[in-house]
Amino acid sequence: MNLLNEKSTVEVQAIRAKKAGKVLSLLSTEDKNHALYAMAQRLETEFEFILAANEKDLQAVREKGFNEAYIDRLALSKKRVFEFSDGLRQVAVLEDPTGKIQLSKRLENGLQVSKISVPLGVIGMIYEARPNVTVDATGLALKSGNAIILKGGSSAINSNRAIVEVIHRSLSDSKIPKEAVQFIDSTNREDSQALFTMREHIDVLIPRGGGSLIHEVVSNASVPVLETGVGNCHLYIDSDANAAMALKILVNAKTDRPAVCNAIETVIVHRDWLTKHKMEFINTLSNHKISVHGDEHTLAEIPDATLANGEDWANEYLNLHIAMKVVRHVDEAIEHIELYGTKHSEAIITENDETADYFMQRVDAAALYHNASTRFTDGGALGFGAEIGISTQKLHARGPMGLDALTTVKFIMNGNGQIR
Amino acid sequence: MNLLNEKSTVEVQAIRAKKAGKVLSLLSTEDKNHALYAMAQRLETEFEFILAANEKDLQAVREKGFNEAYIDRLALSKKRVFEFSDGLRQVAVLEDPTGKIQLSKRLENGLQVSKISVPLGVIGMIYEARPNVTVDATGLALKSGNAIILKGGSSAINSNRAIVEVIHRSLSDSKIPKEAVQFIDSTNREDSQALFTMREHIDVLIPRGGGSLIHEVVSNASVPVLETGVGNCHLYIDSDANAAMALKILVNAKTDRPAVCNAIETVIVHRDWLTKHKMEFINTLSNHKISVHGDEHTLAEIPDATLANGEDWANEYLNLHIAMKVVRHVDEAIEHIELYGTKHSEAIITENDETADYFMQRVDAAALYHNASTRFTDGGALGFGAEIGISTQKLHARGPMGLDALTTVKFIMNGNGQIR
């Protein structure tokens, strides 16, 4: 007991998560699925308890004058809670990512070598005020045999606490120890930062939210990080682009769901194409209420455009604003993307396959599109099943990350006395 | 030029590496292999130039009184330089890890989705005074289409500078820009640390060397790290171990090459086995000049043992010293490994398959051995080809890492106007 008393509450939670994770890692797929179904059921029977807690959070943010989009992401309803439990049932039917034999060979000396997928151990989830992440991330972690430590945004603390209480009650009917789901019941920034350096207890940190949250974690964590979701995505309309296709894709990629990471934030237009299709382009923007922040070339062509500054090029607007740059060559487009892109999703519209290949070979991003909307960078849209997030890093996983991203491997060697 | 003048020399080098890496990433396998053969050839014709530089390094460390093992790793000879060039030719014949189609599917809407392996970009290699790493790492980086920044140990600076000069001369006959191999010509610690945070220019850092070097990089880098090679490996001799096999494996794992990371540093012995086989055990240790640092139970049984302190349990001796702990149950062995292991290689010797499975399911390490020596954790021994190192981390790659570990993927989407 003395030993534990010397550690911070968060560290004790991390140690408990690790211990519970070991028990969890040995459970069968059936046992894990049973727990997910029990969680889903319990969330539905106790939805009013969760909504009451959510109401407290909503009152507080309304008093603080937060904007509607923020409140919308925080707000729960019976329908939303039931969507959470549907999500858990969908995860239950997915294939178990652990225990897969990735390689099996017998060396000449008789040593049997197997490479088998196993859980990572403990996942630290740091996210903004979106209670849905509490349920989604817990479901994916448990299915892949991992314990999870949840640190959600302060504005959602009552909702998250209630959800975790319900999850804990549901786990008491399962073989998963409830310590496998740890909730950091604090709005203290230091308690979040404490997770950054717990290399002994936490195997991976997954920040989910806006750019500044992710930047803070990536810059300060010594625990390995899975970086997700910041998308400053570009659409390049080449001189050889089909105009109808270009405009259809521009509208879809910008306006279908402007607030998501695979929406575009900048359109780069070849000058020759713009000269030919100026009126259609202007009308399309205006019909869809898209506001343009452009360079000087843009201002000379688009009447309502305002002058873009450096921030516009780097900005994730996540609304109907768009930055615009006019170029004379595909190389200028590639350079601009190199400078400002976040390596998420980048698209080129052209009828010229050589130009398309040139672009796709040189642009460094998780997903590159020729004549299609960036909106397809999504595990669901690509038919990969539930996703933890979209990785914009190069190591471990890139692009839509499924349950496999929450596993590592063990080499298991069986011998009868082999020495070297 | 003004822009460049404001940046540090190291940053300018990193920017040049990135630019050269882009050219390199577009080259064919043949072009890359051609460059590797040219490098091998040139190292052989200019070996005397390299040995002369090496002599300067050796003089300096001799004057400083460094130990023989250190000097041995630094010392070059005609034979060793020719081994380097052989190594490059071996890398040339390996399969190109880039351009592999890992997934190819057409969605119902006609969008063609491909997942293709591509180079990481720029690798930052930080290593101790071992000139062989300069050649090995450069060969593996170039083969996988990556630029490399080399920061070797100060004591090897003359050797490394000479090797890189020869490499640069060889590259002038190839399509690989010589800027793809950057040498930090400095013994300044800050120039090494400058690499830690260059997330814009460097895609991955690979520290190679002792525990303190790796710890410094892992704790301070915001650039993603591939952690390699610290091996505090354990051999657990169970109550049901075959004595002859246990002793044969103990001797092999400790004495075959004590200085490598897959050698064992601690033997954990079940009390009942020790009681039965005490004399054979003592004689084996003494015949192989193995010195024991043990717990109190060990001291009661092994006449020449000295008392182990906390440091012994965590120490990589890398020589003929060994730590020893006597236990009453496999769980004690697992707990000890959990506390002090570095997740590299761990072995159990037992005739009881249930105990072996129990151990292998619960111990968290890259490689787990039942009745075999830990010495097999090695890309060559396992038949995987040349390796960058042995990963002791869980993300991206675990265990022996081949050329594939130096790649990431791109999703390439080809459409004809698909929107969501």
Side-chain angles (χ1 to χ4, degrees):
Chain A
M1 277 308 285
N2 256 336
L3 193 70
L4 287 187
N5 283 338
E6 286 167 20
K7 296 179 190 294
S8 70
T9 312
V10 174
E11 188 170 9
V12 172
Q13 287 188 276
I15 292 168
R16 286 187 181 140
K18 181 144 204 182
K19 203 170 163 191
K22 286 180 185 294
V23 176
L24 167 55
S25 73
L26 299 169
L27 296 181
S28 69
T29 305
E30 291 66 40
D31 286 338
K32 293 185 286 187
N33 289 345
H34 171 80
L36 291 175
Y37 288 120
M39 273 170 59
Q41 179 69 42
R42 195 102 189 191
L43 285 168
E44 292 176 357
T45 54
E46 299 203 34
F47 81 91
E48 284 170 327
F49 172 73
I50 294 167
L51 296 188
N54 184 241
E55 191 48 41
K56 283 193 213 164
D57 287 332
L58 289 172
Q59 260 173 6
V61 298
R62 282 196 199 101
E63 278 165 22
K64 287 180 190 154
F66 280 55
N67 69 45
E68 274 310 307
Y70 188 95
I71 293 173
D72 183 54
R73 286 192 293 267
L74 175 58
L76 296 180
S77 61
K78 179 177 179 184
K79 180 163 171 287
R80 285 203 77 197
V81 174
F82 277 59
E83 281 166 8
F84 297 168
S85 49
D86 274 349
L88 289 174
R89 292 187 185 104
Q90 282 164 31
V91 170
V93 301
L94 292 177
E95 194 188 0
D96 191 328
T98 65
K100 286 189 195 169
I101 297 172
Q102 298 188 355
L103 178 150
S104 175
K105 68 189 269 188
R106 192 178 286 274
L107 302 187
E108 276 180 24
N109 63 12
L111 188 69
Q112 174 63 41
V113 177
S114 309
K115 189 176 169 185
I116 297 174
S117 64
V118 296
L120 285 171
V122 178
I123 295 166
M125 197 87 199
I126 300 175
Y127 52 107
E128 294 182 338
R130 297 187 175 202
N132 62 307
V133 176
T134 309
V135 182
D136 291 354
T138 300
L140 293 165
L142 297 184
K143 174 77 188 206
S144 52
N146 293 289
I148 189 164
I149 302 173
L150 298 156
K151 176 69 183 78
S154 306
S155 313
I157 191 153
N158 291 296
S159 312
N160 287 337
R161 186 190 302 117
I163 290 170
V164 173
E165 281 179 27
V166 173
I167 289 174
H168 280 168
R169 284 197 280 273
S170 78
L171 290 180
S172 64
D173 299 329
S174 83
K175 290 192 183 165
I176 298 181
K178 74 180 176 51
E179 289 78 15
V181 181
Q182 293 288 338
F183 173 62
I184 311 278
D185 196 352
S186 156
T187 56
N188 196 327
R189 203 177 176 81
E190 282 86 55
D191 286 328
S192 171
Q193 289 163 343
L195 300 173
F196 293 2
T197 52
M198 288 188 191
R199 288 178 57 84
E200 273 179 64
H201 314 308
I202 302 176
D203 293 287
V204 64
L205 289 178
I206 307 181
R208 226 161 101 169
S212 63
L213 170 70
I214 291 169
H215 181 79
E216 189 197 355
V217 176
V218 165
S219 308
N220 297 298
S222 59
V223 174
V225 177
L226 282 181
E227 219 179 323
T228 67
V230 176
N232 184 20
C233 305
H234 300 74
L235 179 73
Y236 168 57
I237 302 177
D238 183 49
S239 53
D240 297 324
N242 172 305
M245 188 195 286
L247 294 172
K248 181 176 76 164
I249 290 174
L250 168 62
V251 168
N252 179 259
K254 184 67 213 172
T255 70
D256 178 44
R257 283 189 69 191
V260 296
C261 59
N262 59 21
I264 60 164
E265 306 296 350
T266 298
V267 60
I268 306 173
V269 186
H270 195 286
R271 197 182 53 162
D272 299 348
W273 186 90
L274 188 61
T275 306
K276 259 186 268 175
H277 305 286
K278 193 163 111 172
M279 286 319 297
E280 297 157 79
F281 185 78
I282 292 172
N283 289 336
T284 301
L285 293 174
S286 131
N287 290 343
H288 291 87
K289 304 191 165 49
I290 300 171
S291 308
V292 174
H293 306 262
D295 60 5
E296 290 186 358
H297 298 280
T298 302
L299 262 58
E301 305 288 343
I302 312 291
D304 297 334
T306 58
L307 188 64
N309 58 34
E311 271 179 35
D312 284 295
W313 306 125
N315 200 6
E316 267 199 293
Y317 295 111
L318 301 172
N319 55 33
L320 290 180
H321 290 253
I322 197 165
M324 175 166 166
K325 184 179 172 73
V326 178
V327 297
R328 289 163 185 245
H329 194 277
V330 63
D331 280 335
E332 281 181 69
I334 293 170
E335 274 168 36
H336 183 88
I337 294 170
E338 167 80 22
L339 215 52
Y340 296 105
T342 53
K343 299 185 169 38
H344 192 297
S345 299
E346 310 292 353
I348 179 172
I349 313 299
T350 184
E351 296 297 301
N352 185 326
D353 288 346
E354 273 182 43
T355 310
D357 285 348
Y358 186 90
F359 179 90
M360 292 169 100
Q361 282 180 352
R362 282 164 182 78
V363 175
D364 184 16
L368 294 161
Y369 291 85
H370 175 208
N371 291 347
S373 169
T374 52
R375 290 275 296 116
F376 289 101
T377 307
D378 175 286
L382 295 173
F384 297 162
E387 72 182 21
I388 321 298
I390 294 167
S391 162
T392 53
Q393 66 187 25
K394 292 185 177 181
L395 296 192
H396 191 64
R398 199 179 204 198
M401 287 189 289
L403 284 171
D404 285 341
L406 299 184
T407 67
T408 181
V409 295
K410 262 185 189 179
F411 282 89
I412 299 283
M413 322 291 200
N414 284 297
N416 49 14
Q418 282 81 357
I419 59 169
R420 206 171 151 194
Chain B
M1 280 307 288
N2 256 338
L3 193 68
L4 288 188
N5 283 338
E6 287 169 18
K7 296 180 191 294
S8 71
T9 312
V10 175
E11 188 171 8
V12 172
Q13 288 188 275
I15 291 167
R16 287 189 179 138
K18 182 146 202 179
K19 205 169 161 192
K22 286 181 187 293
V23 177
L24 167 57
S25 73
L26 299 170
L27 296 181
S28 69
T29 305
E30 291 67 37
D31 287 338
K32 292 185 287 187
N33 289 345
H34 172 78
L36 291 176
Y37 287 120
M39 275 170 58
Q41 179 69 44
R42 195 102 191 188
L43 285 168
E44 292 177 358
T45 55
E46 299 202 35
F47 80 90
E48 284 170 329
F49 172 73
I50 293 167
L51 296 189
N54 184 239
E55 190 50 40
K56 281 194 217 167
D57 287 333
L58 289 172
Q59 262 172 5
V61 298
R62 282 195 200 104
E63 279 165 24
K64 287 181 192 156
F66 280 55
N67 69 44
E68 274 309 308
Y70 188 96
I71 293 174
D72 183 56
R73 286 193 293 265
L74 174 59
L76 297 180
S77 61
K78 180 176 177 184
K79 181 165 171 284
R80 285 203 77 195
V81 173
F82 277 59
E83 282 168 7
F84 297 169
S85 48
D86 275 349
L88 290 174
R89 293 188 184 101
Q90 282 165 29
V91 171
V93 301
L94 292 177
E95 194 188 2
D96 191 329
T98 65
K100 286 190 195 167
I101 297 172
Q102 298 188 353
L103 179 150
S104 175
K105 67 188 272 189
R106 193 178 285 274
L107 303 188
E108 276 181 24
N109 63 13
L111 188 69
Q112 174 63 41
V113 177
S114 307
K115 188 176 170 185
I116 297 173
S117 64
V118 296
L120 285 171
V122 178
I123 295 166
M125 196 83 197
I126 300 174
Y127 53 107
E128 294 183 340
R130 299 189 175 201
N132 63 306
V133 176
T134 309
V135 182
D136 291 353
T138 301
L140 294 165
L142 298 183
K143 174 77 187 205
S144 52
N146 292 290
I148 188 163
I149 302 172
L150 298 157
K151 177 70 184 74
S154 307
S155 313
I157 191 151
N158 291 294
S159 314
N160 286 337
R161 187 190 301 117
I163 291 170
V164 173
E165 279 178 30
V166 173
I167 290 173
H168 280 168
R169 285 198 280 274
S170 78
L171 289 180
S172 63
D173 299 329
S174 82
K175 291 193 182 163
I176 299 181
K178 73 179 175 54
E179 289 79 14
V181 181
Q182 293 289 339
F183 173 62
I184 310 281
D185 196 351
S186 157
T187 56
N188 198 326
R189 204 179 177 81
E190 283 86 53
D191 286 327
S192 171
Q193 289 164 344
L195 301 173
F196 293 1
T197 51
M198 288 188 189
R199 289 178 58 83
E200 273 178 64
H201 314 308
I202 302 176
D203 293 288
V204 64
L205 288 177
I206 307 181
R208 225 161 98 170
S212 64
L213 170 71
I214 292 170
H215 182 78
E216 189 197 355
V217 176
V218 166
S219 309
N220 297 297
S222 58
V223 174
V225 177
L226 282 182
E227 218 179 323
T228 68
V230 176
N232 184 19
C233 304
H234 300 74
L235 177 73
Y236 168 57
I237 302 177
D238 185 47
S239 54
D240 297 325
N242 172 304
M245 188 194 287
L247 294 173
K248 181 176 74 163
I249 290 174
L250 168 63
V251 169
N252 179 258
K254 184 66 213 173
T255 71
D256 178 43
R257 284 189 69 192
V260 297
C261 61
N262 58 23
I264 59 165
E265 307 295 351
T266 298
V267 60
I268 306 173
V269 186
H270 195 285
R271 197 181 55 161
D272 298 347
W273 185 91
L274 189 61
T275 306
K276 259 185 268 176
H277 305 284
K278 191 164 110 172
M279 285 319 297
E280 298 156 79
F281 185 78
I282 292 172
N283 289 335
T284 302
L285 293 175
S286 133
N287 290 341
H288 291 88
K289 302 191 167 46
I290 301 171
S291 308
V292 174
H293 306 261
D295 59 5
E296 290 187 359
H297 299 281
T298 302
L299 262 57
E301 305 287 342
I302 313 290
D304 296 334
T306 58
L307 188 64
N309 58 34
E311 272 179 34
D312 284 294
W313 306 125
N315 201 7
E316 265 198 294
Y317 295 110
L318 301 171
N319 55 33
L320 292 180
H321 289 253
I322 197 165
M324 175 166 166
K325 186 180 170 75
V326 179
V327 298
R328 289 163 186 246
H329 194 277
V330 62
D331 280 335
E332 280 181 69
I334 294 171
E335 272 169 36
H336 182 88
I337 294 170
E338 167 81 23
L339 214 52
Y340 295 105
T342 54
K343 299 186 172 30
H344 191 297
S345 300
E346 310 293 352
I348 179 171
I349 314 298
T350 184
E351 297 297 301
N352 185 326
D353 288 347
E354 273 183 41
T355 310
D357 287 348
Y358 186 90
F359 179 90
M360 292 169 99
Q361 284 180 350
R362 284 166 180 78
V363 175
D364 183 16
L368 294 162
Y369 291 85
H370 174 205
N371 291 346
S373 169
T374 52
R375 290 275 296 114
F376 289 100
T377 307
D378 175 287
L382 294 173
F384 298 162
E387 71 181 22
I388 320 299
I390 294 167
S391 162
T392 52
Q393 67 187 24
K394 292 185 176 181
L395 296 193
H396 190 63
R398 198 178 206 199
M401 288 190 288
L403 284 170
D404 285 341
L406 299 183
T407 66
T408 181
V409 294
K410 260 184 187 178
F411 283 89
I412 299 283
M413 321 290 201
N414 285 295
N416 50 12
Q418 281 81 359
I419 58 170
R420 207 172 149 191

